[in-house]
Amino acid sequence: MGHGVSRLRRLLHEVAKFGAVGGAGVLVNLLVFNLVRHVTDLQVVRASVIATVVAIVFNYVGFRYFTYRDRDKTRRTREMSLFLLFSAVGLVIENGVLYAATYGFGWDTPLQNNIFKFLGIGIATLFRFWSYRSWVFRALPAREAVADAESILARERARRSRAGQRVP
């Protein structure tokens, strides 16, 4: 049971850190989107793509140096390539929602643009979390093995202590 709790605790910690970087990235995304819409005559989806690209760069820095700083860093080229690939898929998901709302349903007021931009970000975030943790920022196998071994040793010590046996 302790092993499962330990994994759940690590996952919740990772989700919180991902959420902190991602939340800041959402703010960057929405601020750049609204700024570009306000100061240019670009179409809504083009402005959104620009904002998404800025947020992708911001998020990479946050994920690499905060959320996943303890992950494998030996293959940066592979990491960056996969990050860009999965980010591009997320960009299509995010802006596809906005495109469908704007051009498919004619919902094109600034409020509607922001609502569907935010909805697209949310849907794309689910994909990004799964893909980044599964493929881009992979856990170091040794670190997980050490954590698992420490968890087993702690349980064994606790069991021996309760049984009155000498604990090394």
Side-chain angles (χ1 to χ4, degrees):
M1 176 121 168
H3 178 66
V5 171
S6 174
R7 270 186 196 234
L8 179 61
R9 210 174 273 142
R10 283 195 310 261
L11 178 63
L12 290 175
H13 185 72
E14 179 183 342
V15 167
K17 289 168 71 173
F18 185 92
V21 171
V26 167
L27 291 176
V28 167
N29 197 331
L30 291 172
L31 288 171
V32 171
F33 173 65
N34 284 291
L35 179 67
V36 170
R37 291 284 290 153
H38 184 71
V39 299
T40 71
D41 291 330
L42 284 177
Q43 295 174 347
V44 66
V45 175
R46 288 185 182 161
S48 180
V49 168
I50 291 168
T52 303
V53 169
V54 171
I56 286 169
V57 171
F58 175 88
N59 285 344
Y60 178 78
V61 172
F63 291 141
R64 167 43 52 216
Y65 298 103
F66 176 67
T67 305
Y68 298 114
R69 71 176 174 256
D70 60 337
R71 299 291 175 99
D72 185 9
K73 297 178 183 98
T74 58
R75 297 194 208 139
R76 284 290 172 94
T77 303
R78 177 184 180 279
E79 175 185 288
M80 182 68 79
S81 299
L82 288 173
F83 182 84
L84 291 174
L85 171 71
F86 291 122
S87 293
V89 173
L91 180 143
V92 170
I93 293 168
E94 175 183 327
N95 292 290
V97 170
L98 181 61
Y99 182 90
T102 304
Y103 302 111
F105 295 102
W107 296 326
D108 196 20
T109 68
L111 177 61
Q112 290 169 329
N113 291 159
N114 278 284
I115 289 170
F116 288 102
K117 172 82 171 154
F118 187 76
L119 179 63
I121 290 170
I123 294 167
T125 296
L126 296 174
F127 169 77
R128 287 177 178 129
F129 178 73
W130 168 79
S131 63
Y132 293 167
R133 82 178 307 264
S134 300
W135 299 99
V136 180
F137 301 107
R138 298 190 58 127
L140 291 169
R143 182 178 209 98
E144 233 174 77
V146 168
D148 291 346
E150 287 173 348
S151 174
I152 291 168
L153 287 173
R155 281 197 314 266
E156 181 62 22
R157 283 188 193 113
R159 185 189 67 74
R160 285 184 178 182
S161 178
R162 284 191 305 270
Q165 297 176 349
R166 185 172 98 71
V167 179

